[in-house]
Amino acid sequence: MKILMIGGTGTISSAITRQLAQSEHELWLLNRGNRQAELPKGVNQIVADIEDEAVVAGKLGDMQFDVVCEFIGFVPEQVERDFRLFRGRTRQYVYISSASAYHKPARGYIINEGTTLANPHWEYSRNKIACEEVLMKHYREEGFPVTIVRPSHTYCERSVPLGIHGTKGSWQVIKRMMAGKPVLIQGDGSSLWTMTWNEDFARGFIGLLGNPHAIGEAFQIMSDETLTWNQIYQAIADALHVDLNPYYVSSRFLGDVAPQAYDLEGGLLGDKAVSVVFDCTKLKRAVPGFQACVRFEEGIRRTLEHILDHPELQQEDPDFDRWCDRVIEAQEAAKKKFIGA
């Protein structure tokens, strides 16, 4: 197949790029070319900003594709642009949506593709829902060959997946762990969550490309391993060979007092604070033999080894560190005041 990926170098798409590059498929990436050094051999590239529709149309010329995959479409205007660019030039258009689009909180904790889409907490998720609606309307009315994919919390070797972190990523939390400082965990750490290694996600995703059972359908792709947040943070501490010092704070309180840049109203209350267990039966019917193979304890070990070996990934975030301390101090003061009364 001749496959075009819009993006192709992110957490999810980089694993797909590597696996497709090792296959017999003809792979093209359309992006701004900022990570050319990371591309595997044999990958073709169209260097352009997808937001510049006229330039992209000119560079595409009369090219045709079996599959076009959109990884960086976040608002309806962007998928409408894609519809104009790729209508009639692809047999399948795969849109990366998000499992955060599912209703929060859902009526039941077991989530499948039929779970209602609605997220009052997070504009990002509402925009993803709107994108899905635009694309499905084009499928129903004009036969545009769309497939929708909803990933959940997918991670790679470049960043530790967490419930709470600052604007500069996960390193400051790791640093707190290694220093023996208390680490914020939402709620009491008992809510259920799923972490998926990006290479596992890639195998399920690739199985949907060129798959006739995928046209006009939505699929969620994630691991079958369900963990509590306590187990997640403990696995991180174990991989670091340190003791975990958890400090539990209400998700609602965290969302109320966090700086707007941390986006805990959306990313926490609209996503990670809610227990979810994903049912991937539909994916496994469409992609026989799919199975996520990397347990979180193994994936996080690989991630931490990589980060500790690459200082450029260790971004200090003193503002987040101070905010964590302030939250802890405030809750401890409230405890003392209550007990003293």
Side-chain angles (χ1 to χ4, degrees), residues 193-208:
W193 198 245
T194 298
M195 298 290 190
T196 306
W197 183 245
N198 67 340
E199 293 174 352
D200 282 338
F201 178 93
R203 285 191 289 272
F205 183 89
I206 291 170
L208 294 173

Side-chain angles (χ1 to χ4, degrees), residues 153 155-163 165 169-171 173-174 177 195 232 236 296 300 303-304 307:
H153 206 154
Y155 69 107
C156 67
E157 72 281 359
R158 296 192 294 221
S159 180
V160 173
L162 298 165
H165 59 77
S170 59
W171 174 249
V173 178
I174 302 311
M177 283 190 178
M195 298 290 190
I232 290 166
I236 296 169
F296 183 66
I300 202 61
T303 296
L304 286 166
I307 290 174

Side-chain angles (χ1 to χ4, degrees), residues 37-302:
E38 301 177 19
L39 297 183
K41 291 182 179 180
V43 175
N44 305 286
Q45 193 170 23
I46 301 171
V47 178
D49 183 348
I50 186 62
E51 300 295 342
D52 193 332
E53 184 175 345
V55 169
V56 171
K59 292 201 171 187
L60 289 173
D62 60 357
M63 294 178 73
Q64 297 283 321
F65 301 95
D66 294 295
V67 183
V68 172
C69 306
E70 171 61 273
F71 292 91
I72 52 176
F74 301 104
V75 295
E77 293 78 10
Q78 291 171 324
V79 296
E80 286 283 19
R81 173 208 62 214
D82 287 357
F83 174 70
R84 293 190 296 271
L85 283 170
F86 298 107
R87 171 180 48 185
R89 74 162 79 231
T90 184
R91 296 180 179 181
Q92 184 184 26
Y93 173 92
V94 184
Y95 175 66
I96 309 301
S97 182
S98 171
S100 70
Y102 291 122
H103 197 284
K104 298 294 185 300
R107 299 296 181 184
Y109 70 94
I110 298 178
I111 306 298
N112 61 32
E113 289 82 357
T115 299
T116 302
L117 304 181
N119 192 326
H121 298 284
W122 207 359
E123 184 180 13
Y124 164 83
S125 304
R126 295 192 295 274
N127 283 332
K128 286 290 191 179
I129 294 168
C131 288
E132 289 194 26
E133 290 173 346
V134 165
L135 291 168
M136 290 307 296
K137 183 174 186 292
H138 285 307
Y139 167 72
R140 289 190 299 267
E141 296 180 1
E142 302 173 63
F144 189 58
V146 64
T147 297
I148 291 167
V149 172
R150 299 180 188 133
S152 184
H153 206 154
T154 306
Y155 69 107
C156 67
E157 72 281 359
R158 296 192 294 221
S159 180
V160 173
L162 298 165
I164 305 160
H165 59 77
T167 57
K168 297 182 180 179
S170 59
W171 174 249
Q172 200 66 43
V173 178
I174 302 311
K175 190 175 179 181
R176 289 180 71 90
M177 283 190 178
M178 294 190 296
K181 296 182 71 172
V183 174
L184 297 181
I185 299 179
Q186 68 270 20
D188 64 359
S190 65
S191 59
L192 302 175
W193 198 245
T194 298
M195 298 290 190
T196 306
W197 183 245
N198 67 340
E199 293 174 352
D200 282 338
F201 178 93
R203 285 191 289 272
F205 183 89
I206 291 170
L208 294 173
L209 304 186
N211 187 328
H213 302 292
I215 304 299
E217 298 289 340
F219 297 87
Q220 53 190 30
I221 305 175
M222 58 278 296
S223 171
D224 289 323
E225 182 182 29
T226 300
L227 302 163
T228 67
W229 281 101
N230 283 327
Q231 290 174 313
I232 290 166
Y233 277 84
Q234 187 62 58
I236 296 169
D238 289 345
L240 290 168
H241 306 291
V242 300
D243 292 329
L244 176 65
N245 186 5
Y247 192 88
Y248 301 106
V249 183
S250 157
S251 297
R252 179 69 271 177
F253 182 78
L254 290 168
D256 287 343
V257 303
Q260 187 174 3
Y262 296 175
D263 197 19
L264 295 191
E265 172 70 26
L268 187 57
L269 293 168
D271 199 26
K272 301 175 186 68
V274 182
S275 283
V276 288
V277 176
F278 294 101
D279 177 2
C280 291
T281 301
K282 183 177 180 181
L283 173 69
K284 292 175 182 177
R285 284 200 302 265
V287 186
F290 170 75
Q291 183 68 48
C293 302
V294 180
R295 296 196 312 271
F296 183 66
E297 62 182 283
E298 170 61 19
I300 202 61
R301 182 189 62 78
R302 297 182 194 177

Side-chain angles (χ1 to χ4, degrees), residues 16 197 312:
I16 299 168
W197 183 245
E312 70 275 12

